[in-house]
Amino acid sequence: MTDLTDVPKTPADLGVAPEPPMRLLGEDGELLAGAADAGITAELTRGLYRDMVLARQFDQDAFNLQRQGELGLWLSCRGQEAAQVGSIRAVRASDHVFPSYREHAAALCRGLEPAELLTQWRGTAHGGWDPSGYRFHLYSLVLSTQLLHATGYALGVAADRRREPGVDEIVLCYFGDGAASQGDANEALNWAAVTGAPLVFFCQNNQWAISTPSAAQSRTPLHVRAAGFGLTATVVDGNDVLAVHAATAAAAARVRAGGPPEFIEAITYRMAGHSTSDDPTRYRDAEEVRRWEERDPVTRVRRLLDARGWAGEEFHTALKEEATALSEATRAACRALAPPPLEDTFRHTLVEETAALRAERERYTAWRESFA
Amino acid sequence: MSTTAEVPAGELTLGAALNAGLRQAMADDESVILVGEDIGALGGVFRVTDGLRAEFGDHRVIDSLLAESGIVGTAIGLALRGYRPVCEIQFDGFVYPAFDQIVSQLAKLRARSGGRLRIPVTIRIPCGGGIGAVEHHSESNEAYFCHTAGLRVVACASPADAHWMIQQAIACDDPVIFYEPKRRYWDKAPVEPGPVPADAPALDQARIARAGADVTVIAYGPAVRVALDAATVAESEGRSLEVIDLRSLSPLDFGTLTASVRKTGRVVVVHEAPTFCGLGAEIAAEITERCFHLLEAPVQRVGGWNTPYPPARTEEHYLPDLDRVLDAVDGTYQY
Ligand SMILES: Cc1ncc(C[n+]2csc(CCOP(=O)(O)OP(=O)(O)O)c2C)c(N)n1
């Protein structure tokens, strides 16, 4: 159990000891001290479990679709379901979320359609959904850019709050341990801390940035660094959905009440390769993966549900059916995703198409139609 | 920087005209906020935001952290939240840390969202040389941004126009890179402060700064003054130059340009940026395509040399001046 704190490795002489990660659920599915205070109930646990199961199903389908040539690429979130479901379920639907690019489980919880999540990877759009409608921003492929967007958005919320005291939204922003090395991440953490932006930064430390381990990416644990910027920092076992939920809910409540921005480091693990183009066997050993499989976030909750008798056969059967239906819907939706006409791109480049864009679009259309 | 009190009644410096334009935009729309390094108490290093914090408060005139990517990145977030941020980059050479946020995020979010998002961010950049500055304080980097679809790139050249253009840029729902010719900040001309008049040219229109019949001289930003001076000298030598102030660098107003070429058949493009892959190259290529049959001579370019911007003591040899413009005008008669 202690090896969760082994990563990232901190030289003792650095004098900054990482906090042990907060946990409510033991690896064998037992509730730990503090679970009662955190308001853990059978209903909450069942809900989080359901979301994780559906996310895993969706992720597996998308992965398979990539292998079948239906998607160009897929970045699996397998292993990170607890970090994502636990965190997004702890904020309100009215809170604005800025994801990185692997937050499929969080996105599904937000109500995004499978097809919308597959669009980019199938190559039919660079976005795929209405970011304002879902209050879930488009994925950010340039690492860390979204931390600044989240900070700016949160500053806007703070400005609104000054005008209308009733405004109590907050912003939730996801990013990875590798992304934390970018300049933008450091500008954003500092900027948010200095301005007191109503924001929860949520770092999924999944141990790897493609082939670079966290320990090679940062000499200090990330939550220690965040605290250094002046953010309230928490480290949580990212494979413990109950702890993630409780930690995020607490952080969100403090921020909502006007407290300084918060930083949560969730210690988790990316079970699949970085992407479907990646070969993780070249840089990590099977033993490491096996050790993390033992801490699988989904089976861990299943053990709790079984041990406590919180979910009967009926629940599991219904969930299985729901997962099957999602799977079928995902596959059908994926195959139905057709490329939009290139004309759209000309129309959406600026708010109003300029004469130059219109002329170019017409040239393109005429050229294409000359083949018809 | 002069204040309005130091210039004749009705006259404003370009800097003061911008200041008045910003004030008007802020008064017209509560969602307009200014963000930049030292723009509050100091009023910016060129004092363009002078007095605005006292008038609108520190929630609307925000001294940013010293982080350019942060300025633009957070402005994007503010725009997503319904604000209209106007960013000030302190000097042209310091925009590069924000390059990714500008070209990969700001420019692309509208297209990426399938037209659902509007990102009305204005980025003001004092540009160009001629003020004896140290390195990275005299650059003309417009070509980088013109090359990126999704951005509007404009350059003001005269006080009245600066006053209107800044308001138009802020009101525009697209991201706008707004170049301010720093060596013209102190130029004075009559300005009637207030909202943009109905007959002012639109943000994406070029303006005929001086009508002429023999040669079209296309310029923008600081080079417009040079072109106008060249036209005055040329007139005394019996040549009539038509000077076009481009105003909008992206998109380019080829309607105005080709109408002028139809009159003159001769074209010279003037800018401070190096000519290699500069805006002049684009203009020359496009005019050649559109007006080949009207041209008496190849389009001539007058620009900075294809070198890094030189030390201040040599910049007069780098910046296109009146003689180089007139020389290029002569060049168009050599065919
Ligand atoms: C600015 C930038 N540089 C490089 C990349 C290529 N890249 C994509 S993901 C990645 C690793 C990111 O690791 P981390 O932040 O830990 O997130 P994870 O993928 O593990 O979820 C890299 C190097 C990128 N997307 N953006």
Side-chain angles (χ1 to χ4, degrees):
Chain A
M1 299 232 169
T2 48
D3 52 356
L4 261 180
T5 53
D6 290 348
V7 187
K9 289 184 188 63
T10 309
D13 60 2
L14 215 57
V16 280
E19 293 288 319
M22 169 183 165
R23 272 187 174 175
L24 296 176
L25 183 59
E27 288 185 3
D28 299 325
E30 72 281 11
L31 280 180
L32 303 176
D37 294 340
I40 304 305
T41 64
E43 194 189 353
L44 173 71
T45 312
R46 274 197 302 272
L48 297 172
Y49 178 73
R50 168 189 171 271
D51 292 339
M52 291 202 291
V53 167
L54 293 179
R56 179 156 296 185
Q57 180 67 54
F58 170 75
D59 189 71
Q60 185 63 51
D61 283 317
F63 187 92
N64 295 346
L65 283 162
Q66 194 281 333
R67 289 291 186 245
Q68 291 157 10
E70 299 287 345
L71 298 178
L73 187 76
W74 185 248
L75 276 71
S76 169
C77 67
R78 187 184 182 91
Q80 300 180 219
E81 294 91 345
Q84 296 183 17
V85 170
S87 52
I88 199 149
R89 281 296 182 208
V91 299
R92 298 179 186 163
S94 51
D95 293 332
H96 214 87
V97 179
F98 285 84
S100 185
Y101 45 71
R102 203 190 286 286
E103 279 69 45
H104 321 309
L108 286 175
C109 289
R110 264 289 147 119
L112 274 81
E113 297 295 333
E116 293 177 312
L117 279 167
L118 299 179
T119 323
Q120 163 135 226
W121 316 101
R122 186 159 169 92
T124 60
H126 282 320
W129 56 86
D130 177 0
S132 329
Y134 287 115
R135 310 190 69 69
F136 192 88
H137 192 64
L138 301 176
Y139 278 164
S140 304
L141 262 66
V142 182
L143 292 167
S144 268
T145 51
Q146 77 277 15
L147 277 80
L148 283 168
H149 304 166
T151 303
Y153 194 96
L155 291 172
V157 173
D160 287 357
R161 215 179 254 183
R162 275 191 293 275
R163 291 197 288 201
E164 301 168 54
V167 172
D168 68 349
E169 294 163 50
I170 62 162
V171 177
L172 175 65
C173 179
Y174 291 103
F175 63 105
D177 46 295
S181 292
Q182 287 282 344
D184 275 5
N186 290 277
E187 288 192 18
L189 296 184
N190 186 45
W191 199 300
V194 166
T195 56
L199 172 58
V200 177
F201 290 107
F202 193 95
C203 177
Q204 293 177 79
N205 182 347
N206 66 8
Q207 312 309 321
W208 293 93
I210 308 187
S211 67
T212 308
S214 322
Q217 193 84 238
S218 179
R219 201 153 141 76
T220 48
L222 294 171
H223 59 279
V224 171
R225 188 194 302 172
F229 280 114
L231 294 150
T232 305
T234 311
V235 57
V236 60
D237 178 347
N239 281 20
D240 171 351
V241 72
L242 301 180
V244 173
H245 186 268
T248 314
R254 289 190 292 263
V255 170
R256 211 182 298 284
E262 300 255 348
F263 182 100
I264 297 173
E265 179 180 6
I267 307 293
T268 181
Y269 195 75
R270 184 195 82 212
M271 294 304 301
H274 168 70
S275 75
T276 43
S277 304
D278 182 31
D279 174 8
T281 63
R282 291 175 72 120
Y283 55 82
R284 66 187 190 187
D285 59 38
E287 173 54 21
E288 174 183 308
V289 180
R290 197 198 54 73
R291 272 196 294 124
W292 280 93
E293 260 165 10
E294 286 171 7
R295 302 181 190 131
D296 185 291
V298 182
T299 46
R300 215 154 130 187
V301 186
R302 175 71 199 245
R303 285 188 195 125
L304 170 67
L305 290 173
D306 290 350
R308 296 263 165 156
W310 278 354
E313 209 42 53
E314 216 169 287
F315 169 83
H316 290 298
T317 310
L319 182 54
K320 198 169 267 172
E321 279 166 16
E322 203 179 349
T324 307
L326 174 66
S327 177
E328 281 161 10
T330 300
R331 295 167 158 280
C334 178
R335 297 206 165 90
L337 276 176
L342 186 64
E343 276 88 343
D344 285 0
T345 309
F346 292 93
R347 291 201 174 89
H348 295 152
T349 299
L350 294 168
V351 172
E352 271 173 47
E353 197 177 44
T354 58
L357 278 166
R358 189 178 323 115
E360 221 173 284
R361 173 169 56 74
E362 286 166 1
R363 217 161 74 205
Y364 159 74
T365 309
W367 177 81
R368 198 200 50 209
E369 283 171 358
S370 72
F371 293 92
Chain B
M1 164 120 317
S2 313
T3 64
T4 51
E6 292 165 18
V7 295
E11 294 219 326
L12 290 184
T13 62
L14 188 144
L18 285 167
N19 179 279
L22 290 167
R23 177 178 292 110
Q24 183 73 42
M26 294 186 80
D28 287 349
D29 183 348
E30 267 224 324
S31 66
V32 175
I33 50 177
L34 312 188
V35 191
E37 294 161 10
D38 309 299
I39 67 166
L42 184 66
V45 289
F46 290 105
R47 310 290 184 267
V48 173
T49 56
D50 200 19
L52 297 178
R53 170 178 277 191
E55 198 167 332
F56 296 100
D58 55 5
H59 290 314
R60 291 187 68 195
V61 181
I62 301 167
D63 273 332
S64 74
L65 277 68
L66 197 35
E68 283 73 16
S69 193
I71 291 173
V72 177
T74 55
I76 292 170
L78 281 160
L80 291 171
R81 180 70 190 180
Y83 287 84
R84 283 186 184 271
V86 183
C87 307
E88 175 173 305
I89 299 294
Q90 207 155 60
F91 277 94
D92 35 39
F94 306 146
V95 72
Y96 306 115
F99 194 70
D100 164 62
Q101 286 288 351
I102 297 173
V103 302
S104 307
Q105 307 299 322
L106 184 64
K108 308 250 162 78
L109 273 168
R110 179 158 183 90
R112 285 190 60 209
S113 68
R116 292 182 188 101
L117 296 177
R118 287 172 189 231
I119 324 286
V121 173
T122 301
I123 302 178
R124 296 179 34 237
I125 308 179
C127 70
I131 62 162
V134 293
E135 58 163 355
H136 307 302
H137 289 68
S138 303
E139 313 216 334
S140 299
N141 38 36
E142 62 274 9
Y144 295 124
F145 300 115
C146 289
H147 190 66
T148 299
L151 300 172
R152 289 176 183 270
V153 184
V154 305
C156 60
S158 66
D161 214 20
H163 181 65
W164 301 331
M165 283 176 75
I166 188 66
Q167 294 183 57
Q168 293 171 319
I170 294 169
C172 178
D173 281 332
D174 293 314
V176 181
I177 308 291
F178 190 93
Y179 282 104
E180 300 171 3
K182 64 171 88 79
R183 67 180 152 128
R184 305 293 175 216
Y185 272 139
W186 299 273
D187 283 10
K188 297 167 202 167
V191 178
E192 257 185 64
V196 183
D199 60 351
L203 188 61
D204 57 6
Q205 271 175 357
R207 186 178 66 94
I208 296 178
R210 176 187 171 123
D214 299 334
V215 180
T216 300
V217 181
I218 301 169
Y220 56 90
V224 173
R225 180 81 259 150
V226 178
L228 286 169
D229 291 347
T232 305
V233 174
E235 188 177 34
S236 67
E237 294 169 353
R239 253 180 211 156
S240 163
L241 307 191
E242 175 147 299
V243 176
I244 296 182
D245 172 2
L246 271 183
R247 303 174 80 253
S248 176
L249 316 186
S250 177
L252 282 162
D253 175 7
F254 280 105
T256 300
L257 299 189
T258 53
S260 180
V261 178
R262 194 160 290 126
K263 272 200 297 188
T264 62
R266 293 186 164 83
V267 184
V268 173
V269 190
V270 188
H271 55 57
E272 288 191 16
T275 53
F276 183 74
C277 286
L279 208 56
E282 176 63 29
I283 293 168
E286 190 80 25
I287 286 181
T288 306
E289 275 183 32
R290 290 172 189 243
C291 308
F292 188 62
H293 57 295
L294 300 171
L295 288 172
E296 304 289 344
V299 177
Q300 308 280 310
R301 286 175 289 160
V302 183
W305 308 114
N306 297 314
T307 65
Y309 195 87
R313 294 295 177 97
T314 62
E315 68 183 340
E316 64 176 297
H317 304 293
Y318 177 90
L319 295 170
D321 60 5
L322 186 150
D323 289 329
R324 277 172 61 202
V325 174
L326 291 173
D327 199 44
V329 167
D330 287 345
T332 65
Y333 284 89
Q334 309 289 308
Y335 292 85

